[in-house]
């Protein structure tokens, strides 16, 4: 478990630090970047939020509140609280155009910064739990690497970066037409800012 949580945080930090991110869309408070490597497409959404970074961290790391702003989350329950900064959640998402709804078992690891210049981190990846095998009702899906980095800008504002790494097989419609889906990404980001503020 220690290794899993460490690799969860490390994978997200590594993804964030990769060179070659390309900006695809800019709104007032939201920037969307993409990074392609082989058949892996990564997404970065940068949001300017007018609340302190520690408050954004506490709101975003509680995944039971995720469906308040993210319509891709239908339900979210804690399966196992490993300890204060590590929880395993079971997530279901609504069915899209006649497909079976998806479900996920994810480990969410959160870390506070050691230095003021470092971000708060909330890292997410799929894990396997024998107590939660795939069911015929859902299509079990995998999150390779996702999560948030939250940088403090001032005592009352912060920059929230959301990352998600997908294989083109998981989200063919996203990989095929990123510009078309940037609208729904922007809508989710706007809902996230509204929820936080």
């Amino acid at each position: 478990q220690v290794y899993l949580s460490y690799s969860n945080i490390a994978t997200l930090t590594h993804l964030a630090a990769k060179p070659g991110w390309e900006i695809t869309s800019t709104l007032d408070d939201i920037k969307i970047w993409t990074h392609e490597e082989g058949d892996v497409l990564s997404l970065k959404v940068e949001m300017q939020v007018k609340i302190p970074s520690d408050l954004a961290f506490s709101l975003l790391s509680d995944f039971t509140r995720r469906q308040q702003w993210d319509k891709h989350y239908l339900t979210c329950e804690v399966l196992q609280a490993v300890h204060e900064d590590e929880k395993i959640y079971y997530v279901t998402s609504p069915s899209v155009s006649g497909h079976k709804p998806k479900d996920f078992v994810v480990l969410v690891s959160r870390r506070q910064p050691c230095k003021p210049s470092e971000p708060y981190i909330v890292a997410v990846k799929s894990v396997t739990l024998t107590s939660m095998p795939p069911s015929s009702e859902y299509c079990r899906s995998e999150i390779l690497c996702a999560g948030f980095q939250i940088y403090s800008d001032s005592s009352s504002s912060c920059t929230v970066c959301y990352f998600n790494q997908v294989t083109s097989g998981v989200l063919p419609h996203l990989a095929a037409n990123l510009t078309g889906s940037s609208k729904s990404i922007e809508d989710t980001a706007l809902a996230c800012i509204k929820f936080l503020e």
Side-chain angles (χ1 to χ4, degrees):
Q1 280 175 340
V2 170
Y3 169 73
L4 262 180
S5 65
Y6 170 75
S7 76
N8 200 7
I9 300 277
T11 306
L12 183 67
T13 306
H14 177 68
L15 175 63
K18 277 189 176 183
W21 285 94
E22 288 176 27
I23 193 153
T24 59
S25 156
T26 313
L27 283 175
D28 295 344
D29 296 324
I30 301 166
K31 293 189 180 102
I32 299 174
W33 312 68
T34 55
H35 187 287
E36 284 186 67
E37 204 170 0
D39 68 343
V40 178
L41 176 75
S42 302
L43 189 68
K44 171 183 171 183
V45 184
E46 192 179 291
M47 300 169 268
Q48 303 301 320
V49 188
K50 295 178 185 63
I51 63 166
S53 52
D54 57 340
L55 179 58
F57 173 67
S58 102
L59 288 166
L60 289 172
S61 61
D62 179 0
F63 266 51
T64 58
R65 303 185 70 160
R66 179 80 177 240
Q67 63 263 49
Q68 290 177 26
W69 59 270
D70 190 341
K71 61 181 186 299
H72 303 98
Y73 277 59
L74 198 58
T75 63
C76 184
E77 57 177 301
V78 178
L79 288 176
Q80 209 178 325
V82 184
H83 55 71
E84 196 192 352
D85 289 331
E86 312 283 336
K87 289 191 174 77
I88 295 174
Y89 293 89
Y90 177 65
V91 177
T92 63
S93 66
S95 66
V96 182
S97 60
H99 292 82
K100 274 203 286 197
K102 291 187 165 80
D103 68 348
F104 302 86
V105 176
V106 295
L107 170 70
V108 176
S109 311
R110 51 180 226 163
R111 290 288 179 282
Q112 303 202 19
C114 303
K115 300 198 281 271
S117 59
E118 292 177 355
Y120 288 87
I121 296 176
V122 181
V124 186
K125 70 184 288 184
S126 285
V127 289
T128 310
L129 264 195
T130 43
S131 59
M132 209 65 191
S135 77
S136 57
E137 207 176 325
Y138 292 97
C139 172
R140 176 63 51 92
S141 299
E142 186 184 6
I143 294 174
L144 297 175
C145 170
F148 301 93
Q149 285 191 336
I150 303 156
Y151 289 89
S152 179
D153 295 330
S154 73
S155 59
S156 60
S157 68
C158 61
T159 299
V160 175
C161 296
Y162 170 70
F163 295 89
N164 197 354
Q165 191 174 56
V166 292
T167 56
S168 53
V170 175
L171 285 182
H173 58 279
L174 183 64
N177 181 7
L178 198 79
T179 44
S181 68
S182 69
K183 179 78 183 84
S184 88
I185 295 164
E186 281 163 9
D187 289 347
T188 304
L190 285 166
C192 180
I193 293 172
K194 196 172 154 191
F195 161 74
L196 290 172
E197 291 181 347

